[in-house]
Amino acid sequence: MTASGGNMPRRKALPAELDPRVRQLVTQLRRLKDHSELNMLQLAAKTGYSQKSWERYLGGRSLPPREAVEALARIGGVDPVRLLALHEVAADTWNGGRAPTPTPAPSPSPEEPAQPGFPVVSDTLATRAGPRPSLGRSLRIALVAGAVALVLAVTSTVLLVLRLNAHENGPSVTSPVPAAASASAPLVYTCRIQQIDGLWYAGISRTRDAELAYGGAGSDVAEAQCLLRRAGISPGGIDGMFGPLTHRAVMAMQKRAGLDVDGMVGPRTWQALRG
């Protein structure tokens, strides 16, 4: 890594003890980053996550958050569903980003010669090691993990379809996600843009001084997202979540309006959005 924040060397190997499922996710993220031809500073600016954070994520030292994976997928121009499914599986198996160190096999007993392929274990060593997991139990664990991964992948696909429909139909026809569809699905708000006394409103919140910052959520955030979209700056989905895309859209709006570009929505930014 250069002092100016250049690209991570492509040939730098991941830690050998990294879990294979985490390794698969990190490998895909590395390919996307290389394909984007962005250096670390540019990647940090486009996603809202710091350069050091991306160094940890792409080096296999830290598991990236879901939002960072989705942001990198959108920058690379790929469907984020598969990456998010890989992330869910990696998150389930993550143990500090590393697989446990394997325990070496015991040496054969001097009284009894070892047969090829079948190491001899003394009664004392077998007692200390404890019972080994049965093949049936390992198979059940593998089946449960596969079922969880499948459910997560289907859920991610449903959410993506709903978001794409919201973008294609426009803000006036966006409908909220039914509660029965997914208990963990984020809200999707409806933008009803109208001008009242010379000010623009989206029909979600009438605030003009609420302080909003990265990581916030709620109806005030959804109102700001609608007004950003009305101004021609996409904040991503109208979900009331102040994530990387909304953060970048706010900074673009502030720069256009000649305001301090801090990525936070305060009274002056509200005035620019509603004016």
Side-chain angles (χ1 to χ4, degrees), residues 5 66 73 76 92 102 108 121 128 136 140-141 157 167 219 240 257 270:
R66 178 187 176 91
D92 288 340
V121 183
R128 290 179 181 176
R140 287 195 301 272
I141 293 175
T157 302
H167 285 300
S219 58
W270 278 116

Side-chain angles (χ1 to χ4, degrees), residues 13-73:
L14 292 171
E17 65 272 24
L18 197 63
D19 187 282
R21 286 156 288 194
V22 179
R23 178 184 297 272
Q24 184 179 10
L25 172 65
V26 175
T27 299
Q28 294 298 326
L29 295 179
R30 281 185 167 194
R31 290 175 180 172
L32 271 179
K33 187 266 179 189
D34 292 339
H35 181 72
S36 71
E37 299 184 351
L38 298 174
N39 61 35
M40 286 297 188
L41 286 177
Q42 293 169 335
L43 184 61
K46 284 182 172 292
T47 61
Y49 292 88
S50 68
Q51 175 184 343
K52 291 186 177 180
S53 295
W54 277 113
E55 290 174 1
R56 293 196 303 272
Y57 302 156
L58 299 179
R61 302 193 304 273
S62 180
L63 186 69
R66 178 187 176 91
E67 292 78 6
V69 173
E70 185 174 5
L72 182 54

Side-chain angles (χ1 to χ4, degrees), residues 195-266:
Q195 192 173 30
I196 302 174
D197 296 332
L199 299 179
W200 291 102
Y201 294 91
I204 302 174
S205 170
R206 298 183 67 85
T207 183
R208 295 170 61 181
D209 55 7
E211 297 284 346
L212 307 179
Y214 189 90
S219 58
D220 291 340
V221 176
E223 177 80 7
Q225 290 173 330
C226 288
L227 296 177
L228 285 166
R229 179 178 290 181
R230 186 206 70 81
I233 304 174
S234 174
I238 309 300
D239 55 6
M241 304 296 293
F242 202 124
L245 297 179
T246 300
H247 185 258
R248 185 164 65 245
V250 169
M251 289 193 295
M253 176 64 183
Q254 290 172 330
K255 183 176 181 180
R256 178 193 295 180
L259 303 175
D260 292 336
V261 181
D262 57 8
M264 297 185 295
V265 180

Side-chain angles (χ1 to χ4, degrees), residues 88-123:
E88 295 290 350
V89 175
D92 288 340
T93 60
W94 180 258
N95 181 21
R98 318 252 173 185
T101 304
T103 304
S107 303
S109 170
E111 291 84 6
E112 184 175 0
Q115 299 179 5
F118 296 92
V120 177
V121 183
S122 67
D123 293 339

